[in-house]
Amino acid sequence: MLDREEYLAAWSRWHGGADTQAPLVRGWLTLAHTLARPLAVLPPVAATAAGVLVAAAAVPPAAAGGGWLIVAGLLVGLSGLLDSLDGALAIGTGRASQRGFVLDSVVDRLTEAAYAAALWAAGAPGWLAVSFGALCWLPDYLRARAGQAGVHRTGPISLWERPTRVAMSGLTLGGAGVVSGLEVAGFAGGPLVVTAGAAVGVALGAVGTVQLGWWLRGELSGPGQGTVPGPG
């Protein structure tokens, strides 16, 4: 198993030279590396599969409401840890592959769809939950398309990276569960917290997408950067 600094350097190489010095990213990756060390014998795909199953499992307790929202929030947080764990296992033990890298990206998007579904089930308006999910997908879609256009760097760390999405989803659901337990007669605070949390997530997603788009504008503004129709 690679030590932490070797792991961070390898993770950066797999992610287009992404900066691992940002406190949020470094802390998240350090936690994943710490959890992965005693589990190095496990196949990374086991953590990948567990992550998406745990994310999907957050939807029923979110729909149940009340104190079950705390369970939903904890499941969202666990799914995020499992997602980071599979990458730490793959990279840290030298088992990373292009196939696994693509699979991990697909699973990330599926878990984020589950987060949006959980927010909707917990009381967020449908349009807001869909916007939340779309803004989870959009930055990574932009990076993928930019890569096809020849941009090989990941770009700046925005306000709306994977750890922020997981944290916003989990804390919103868990916070709504806590508020539900403190409700006074006639005041349904849980759905209000879910709606407010989803709205903050949408705002952060919009800002993060603008940050990334502004950077890509410079990366893609070289000579010959005309519009080329693509299959997508």
Side-chain angles (χ1 to χ4, degrees):
M1 183 75 179
L2 300 177
D3 65 32
R4 187 186 67 167
E5 294 305 318
E6 291 172 334
Y7 165 67
L8 292 174
W11 186 92
S12 178
R13 288 193 297 271
W14 272 98
H15 292 82
D19 180 19
T20 59
Q21 300 306 310
L24 179 62
V25 175
R26 191 175 185 84
W28 184 264
L29 293 177
T30 296
L31 176 60
H33 178 264
T34 302
L35 294 174
R37 289 185 69 87
L39 302 173
V41 296
L42 290 179
V45 70
T48 302
V52 71
L53 291 175
V54 170
V59 178
W68 285 103
L69 289 167
I70 298 176
V71 176
L74 291 173
L75 288 172
V76 166
L78 178 58
S79 75
L81 287 177
L82 287 168
D83 168 63
S84 292
L85 179 62
D86 68 356
L89 287 171
I91 295 173
T93 60
R95 289 178 285 180
S97 66
Q98 291 178 323
R99 181 174 61 183
F101 185 77
V102 172
L103 176 63
D104 182 64
S105 297
V106 171
V107 168
D108 285 352
R109 305 294 78 77
L110 292 176
T111 58
E112 287 161 358
Y115 300 162
L119 292 172
W120 172 74
W127 67 269
L128 192 59
V130 169
S131 298
F132 184 97
L135 285 165
C136 286
W137 286 42
L138 185 56
D140 292 278
Y141 178 77
L142 287 174
R143 284 189 171 112
R145 294 296 285 180
Q148 291 177 328
V151 178
H152 300 298
R153 296 191 295 158
T154 300
I157 301 299
S158 74
L159 289 175
W160 192 237
E161 301 297 339
R162 173 76 174 167
T164 311
R165 302 168 203 165
V166 175
M168 280 301 307
S169 303
L171 291 175
T172 294
L173 292 167
V178 171
V179 170
S180 295
L182 301 175
E183 287 175 0
V184 296
F187 176 70
L192 291 177
V193 171
V194 172
T195 299
V200 171
V202 168
L204 290 174
V207 171
T209 302
V210 169
Q211 286 180 294
L212 180 60
W214 185 260
W215 175 78
L216 285 174
R217 180 176 178 272
E219 293 292 304
L220 297 170
S221 62
Q225 297 288 349
T227 301
V228 180

